Amino acid sequence: MTRVTSSAPSQRMLRIGEQVRAALTQVLQRGEVRDEIIEATVISISEVRMSPDLKIATAYVTPLGVSDHSIVIQALNRHARFIRGRLGPQLRQMKYMPEVRFRDDTSFDNYKKIDELLRSPEVSRDLDGDNDEQ
């Protein structure tokens, strides 16, 4: 029997990723991480992607109100082991507690670029030309 492989995440990976995201959000909201940078920053966790074996969780975060995201990302990665330990009570159904890695979420920058392109005069001129032909 041939096994079908896909690069898309499985339902289990998506479900566990959402559970890890919710647990991370609770840890950060409660202020359990004692770091000046993390405490002074509002952090939005947009997505957590799980590895196929569910042992690595990559959290995509956006620090709000901070121009240099790398400082906050580095602070989160410094405290990743502590945060992993604080996830235990909320993820006790898991066989292995995933290693957490924090990455900067650049999807909002991509959305902004696309929005700027769509609002540019060249695109609006082309769109107005399409409306005239109909």
Side-chain angles (χ1 to χ4, degrees):
M1 178 179 246
T2 323
R3 184 173 179 180
V4 178
T5 58
S6 171
S7 62
S10 68
Q11 284 295 324
R12 185 172 184 211
M13 290 167 57
L14 294 172
R15 180 177 45 84
I16 298 294
E18 184 57 29
Q19 289 175 347
V20 172
R21 188 191 69 76
L24 282 171
T25 301
Q26 287 182 1
V27 168
L28 293 175
Q29 281 180 344
R30 286 190 301 240
E32 295 181 23
V33 182
R34 299 287 180 218
D35 188 299
E36 293 176 10
I37 297 170
I38 296 172
E39 288 176 343
T41 308
V42 176
I43 299 171
S44 170
I45 303 172
S46 57
E47 180 184 10
V48 174
R49 292 185 188 162
M50 299 299 296
S51 64
D53 62 359
L54 302 177
K55 291 186 179 182
I56 299 174
T58 305
Y60 291 92
V61 299
T62 303
L64 303 175
V66 178
S67 58
D68 188 11
H69 293 187
S70 63
I71 295 170
V72 178
I73 303 297
Q74 288 172 359
L76 286 167
N77 282 318
R78 266 196 318 270
H79 297 285
R81 290 187 66 183
F82 174 78
I83 293 170
R84 178 184 182 192
R86 304 306 290 172
L87 296 177
Q90 289 134 6
L91 301 174
R92 61 181 166 265
Q93 80 278 6
M94 294 186 67
K95 186 174 183 178
Y96 299 103
M97 193 55 52
E99 174 188 335
V100 182
R101 298 176 181 170
F102 294 95
R103 301 288 182 261
D104 190 17
D105 185 9
T106 58
S107 63
F108 294 112
D109 295 335
N110 295 337
Y111 298 145
K112 184 178 176 183
K113 287 178 188 176
I114 291 170
D115 189 50
E116 288 172 356
L117 282 172
L118 291 174
R119 294 178 190 272
S120 70
E122 295 84 12
V123 172
S124 57
R125 181 189 66 225
D126 291 344
L127 291 175
D128 290 340
D130 288 345
N131 291 338
D132 295 339
E133 292 174 9
Q134 293 177 354

